[in-house]
Amino acid sequence: MTILINRDSKLITVGFTGKQGTFHSLQSRDYGTNFVGGVTPGKGGTIHEGFPVFNTVSEAVRKTEANVAMIFVPAKFAADSILECMDANVPLVIAITEGIPIQDMVKVKAAIGRSQTRLIGPNCPGVITPGECKIGIMPGHIHMPGKVGVVSRSGTLTYEAVYQLTQREIGQSTCVGIGGDPIVGTNFIDVLAMFEKDPETEAVVLIGEIGGTSEIEAAKWIRKSMTKPVVSFIAGASAPAGKRMGHAGAIISGGDDTAEAKYKILQECGVTITRSPAEIGQKIEEVLKNKQ
Amino acid sequence: MNVHEHQAKELMRKFGVPTLNGDIATTVSEATGVAKKLGGKNWVVKAQIHAGGRGKAGGVKLAKSLAEVKKHATEILGKTLVTHQTGSEGKEVKTILVEEGCDIKHEYYLAIVLDRSKSKLSFIASSEGGVEIEKIAKESPEKIISVTVDPATGVTPFVGRKLAYGLGMTGKVVGEAAKVFKGLYDLYVATDCTIAEINPLVTTKTGSVIALDAKLNFDDNALFRNEDVQNYRDLSEESKEESDASDFGLSYISLDGNIGCMVNGAGLAMGTMDIIKLHGGEPANFLDVGGSATQEAIEKAFSIILSDDKVEAILINIFGGIMKCDLVAAGIVGAAQHLHIKVPLVVRLEGTNVTLGKKILKESALEIIPADNLEDGAVKVIKALESKQDEEE
């Protein structure tokens, strides 16, 4: 068992026929994901790269029995596509799109909270269960199946962490990019709770950033409810206050959202912290050794 | 995106938030002209720059005669204001706002912000206006009230009452204030703000409620649907490098150190800065080339770093995912043809097409110090910087 996605996941891509949508859908298929088709309004009934294209998400779901949707729709229209997936009762929606207006996400978040759909992202690299299923833009080959769960607000920094693990022959159960925006569908706590329940996961890497307080809420949850060891790196200890560091959510706007404040509370809550992004693999190796 | 106070007030008036009468001026004679036209006995002369803390820096002055308006305008126009938000280089004042005076009864603080943990908008208000909210939060947190707004209902009348009575308002003022709260919320949602702040919001002796100051910040990702807001953009207030970079889809922020960084992905870019600092170095910038940059954008990114005089060594750290290492390598080589590289260059490439990328760099005859991993990159760039500095001494 792993979390969120596995061999049984059936994927459709919304925004399939665009350049990025096509490329990453096929990459996911090549990795072994059961990709079954896509949605592009106006192109319904056509075949693209050997896969059926539908006009609406509900038609695609009805005809393919997909249970995961990956969103590659441009930012202006992406919120609407997420709502469309929710309307079609897709259980899991993974939104890769970066740059969705915050007000759109305020509305999406409120609506999705009342639905059966789980949203991962937006502005995220996606989710991968190594050896089984890849839904997203991460390079598949750096991963290997194993027992460490990874949850992160960042894309390439997650690849860096995964690469360090794989180099030490420490495999991953599932890697989840929750996204770098101020509002995301799934937060650290949701994913930590899944890893805690997952018998395949023995330890977790949590990669946070400056801005917001989701790492602080996660730390408190870990103290109360997590029995598995967690290693954490928080990006942006060297970032100046008040400047948006690339990600829309990575901005220090008060005293509680600095890297230092987050490290402090994570440590108090029993999380193993590392201030160097180059030592994530090494720290996991240590906690796994101590566990035995 | 930031706007000036006078622009923020123009928007607020459109949404029913009262402000004082006034107008902008770019010369001293225009300023006295505005004051004459406004009439009255008191005026306020306010520097228009994209930064807070103007009052403390001498950018806001009260005038009790036209002669004083002239004096303050002369002093403020062309002055470089240094506030806690401008950085040490400060910002030159090119425009001032001249407003009529006002009989203040009480000053309040009012803002709407995104409450990230609730994913909803919240009003933050305090009966202690006119000072920074951080200061109120520290010294008298009991004087801050907040009301979260359900996005499905928006601001209904109870929200206004809860805020107004919570601030200790009574009588006719409560209704006036409720209109301001509703107006500010509607403005926030309609124009895609990320911050809306009125500090101070004042009540007057005649029972009016007025926004004495106004600060609005907008979501860059929503500018496409807010043409009015786009027209307010003042490029002279933005760093040239930062806006040049954003035209190429790059995210660049200049910092005080001497090690230039070019990285793909915001998290890894921050992580690279952090590890440089951890090893005793100082990053000169944050530069995220993003996930899908073209070779042209990579060239642009590299030239921004190369033309920064304070950069004494460069670390390029790329973990290819969507971004292909060969494309990055070609971008580096391309930029090096136009711009001479005078400083040590450390490159760490990993991920998609890494072998091809390394080959392109090797065949380019550029003097490159290759790094095996993130740690190695940070150590090597600092070492290169130190030996360069030793040579110069």
Side-chain angles (χ1 to χ4, degrees), chain A residues 33-213:
Chain A
T33 305
N34 187 8
F35 176 69
V36 293
V39 178
T40 300
K43 293 193 178 167
T46 62
I47 299 288
H48 178 65
E49 300 282 348
F51 292 95
V53 182
F54 302 93
N55 281 324
T56 65
V57 174
S58 49
E59 190 194 356
V61 168
R62 208 167 52 236
K63 298 208 171 132
T64 64
E65 294 180 334
N67 54 15
V68 189
M70 172 161 71
I71 309 266
F72 264 103
V73 172
K76 281 184 193 181
F77 315 112
D80 184 52
S81 292
I82 297 170
L83 293 172
E84 188 183 355
C85 292
M86 192 186 91
D87 172 72
N89 289 318
V90 180
L92 181 64
V93 178
I94 299 174
I96 309 298
T97 306
E98 178 177 2
I100 301 180
I102 295 172
Q103 288 303 313
D104 291 2
M105 281 310 299
V106 169
K107 288 179 199 138
V108 166
K109 180 86 179 182
I112 222 144
R114 299 187 295 264
S115 78
Q116 298 302 309
T117 296
R118 170 170 294 288
L119 170 67
I120 305 276
N123 189 14
C124 79
V127 182
I128 181 168
T129 292
E132 294 193 31
C133 183
K134 163 181 133 94
I135 299 179
I137 59 175
M138 66 291 278
H141 65 89
I142 61 169
H143 299 78
M144 73 181 260
K147 295 181 183 316
V148 174
V150 179
V151 58
S152 170
R153 278 170 69 184
S154 148
T156 44
L157 189 53
T158 315
Y159 312 160
E160 174 69 45
V162 165
Y163 185 70
Q164 288 174 27
L165 293 173
T166 299
Q167 277 200 317
R168 286 167 193 272
E169 294 191 350
I170 302 170
Q172 306 91 43
S173 53
T174 301
C175 305
V176 185
I178 60 171
D181 275 1
I183 298 181
V184 290
T186 295
N187 62 32
F188 281 125
I189 296 178
D190 301 325
V191 181
L192 287 170
M194 290 180 229
F195 280 137
E196 174 68 14
K197 263 198 229 154
D198 174 33
E200 295 290 311
T201 301
E202 288 185 5
V204 175
V205 174
L206 183 155
I207 299 172
E209 282 178 5
I210 53 165
T213 54

Side-chain angles (χ1 to χ4, degrees), chain B residues 93-214:
Chain B
V93 183
K94 296 180 201 101
T95 307
I96 50 175
L97 173 65
V98 182
E99 283 188 334
E100 62 186 355
C102 150
D103 270 336
I104 298 170
K105 191 178 168 202
H106 193 93
E107 297 189 22
Y108 302 89
Y109 174 90
L110 178 69
I112 299 176
V113 294
L114 174 73
D115 182 333
R116 289 171 62 163
S117 57
K118 292 184 181 135
S119 302
K120 286 175 182 163
L121 298 179
S122 281
F123 280 98
I124 311 281
S126 173
S127 53
E128 302 276 299
V131 288
E132 281 169 35
I133 191 70
E134 289 82 7
K135 196 167 175 242
I136 310 171
K138 213 177 196 177
E139 289 167 7
S140 39
E142 74 286 354
K143 285 184 178 151
I144 295 178
I145 54 171
S146 78
V147 180
T148 304
V149 182
D150 188 317
T153 60
V155 172
T156 56
F158 90 87
V159 175
R161 292 196 299 273
K162 193 172 172 186
L163 283 165
Y165 288 118
L167 291 172
M169 293 173 173
T170 52
K172 174 189 157 217
V173 170
V174 173
E176 295 300 312
K179 281 184 217 159
V180 170
F181 303 144
K182 173 90 165 75
L184 193 64
Y185 179 84
D186 291 344
L187 162 67
Y188 193 107
V189 173
T191 62
D192 287 281
C193 290
T194 49
I195 297 169
E197 186 184 67
I198 302 176
N199 189 23
L201 177 76
V202 302
T203 49
T204 66
K205 287 168 185 160
T206 52
S208 307
V209 179
I210 295 169
L212 224 55
D213 197 6

